[in-house]
Amino acid sequence: MDLQKLDEALLALFEKRVELSQMGYDHASYDDIEEELHDLEDDFNDEYGDFLEGILKEVHDEYCPESDVLLPTAYLAKKFVVTADGAIEVGRDAGVEVEFVDDPAANARLILLPSPTRIVFIVGKQKKIVWKAE
């Protein structure tokens, strides 16, 4: 697996989602950008889905075995906030909600992030990188 190409494809998806999240539904280009995003998602899942689903299965088995493994693009944030310094933050509801085996009542999520490609497990305010492309 070419992890550099994986990261580039994931970053392209991330950037397209950021672009879309900055538009209102009434924006003239909204529908076109949304369609471009769906095409990128389909291409990403076709190219990297099996590889990432295998990794996600291992992560799920360790941290949240009661939760189903979804398509990799489901683990991407849908909304973003651009901070004053130009950084991008994901919302609290980013990624996929999962049932944490050690604390089923906890608000736990898995999120797929680029640069480098990694999977972050979030429980409350704690974040842990549970897989990173190397």
Side-chain angles (χ1 to χ4, degrees):
M1 174 61 53
D2 186 336
L3 297 176
Q4 178 67 32
K5 285 189 178 191
L6 166 64
D7 195 57
E8 289 169 5
L10 185 57
L11 189 56
L13 263 176
F14 186 86
E15 289 170 346
K16 191 60 69 175
R17 282 193 175 196
V18 169
E19 182 180 356
L20 189 64
S21 73
Q22 310 256 326
M23 295 178 177
Y25 293 116
D26 60 343
H27 191 281
S29 299
Y30 187 90
D31 290 338
D32 293 335
I33 299 299
E34 185 178 43
E35 186 161 330
E36 288 175 24
L37 173 61
H38 291 310
D39 290 344
L40 281 174
E41 289 172 337
D42 290 344
D43 292 346
F44 184 85
N45 285 327
D46 288 345
E47 182 73 22
Y48 303 105
D50 290 341
F51 173 73
L52 288 171
E53 284 177 30
I55 292 164
L56 286 161
K57 180 169 180 0
E58 291 175 13
V59 169
H60 273 256
D61 287 348
E62 183 171 346
Y63 296 97
C64 49
E66 297 299 317
S67 300
D68 293 333
V69 176
L70 305 176
L71 288 172
T73 51
Y75 296 85
L76 295 172
K78 294 189 182 1
K79 301 272 185 194
F80 302 89
V81 175
V82 179
T83 62
D85 64 357
I88 295 175
E89 295 179 355
V90 297
R92 297 176 100 171
D93 62 345
V96 172
E97 186 172 356
V98 294
E99 185 177 323
F100 183 30
V101 70
D102 291 348
D103 185 0
N107 181 17
R109 304 191 81 73
L110 285 172
I111 183 167
L112 178 62
L113 296 171
S115 298
T117 300
R118 62 201 182 279
I119 299 170
V120 179
F121 183 56
I122 302 169
V123 180
K125 293 184 179 186
Q126 296 181 351
K127 297 177 184 177
K128 177 181 180 182
I129 295 174
V130 294
W131 179 83
K132 184 165 99 174
E134 295 183 293

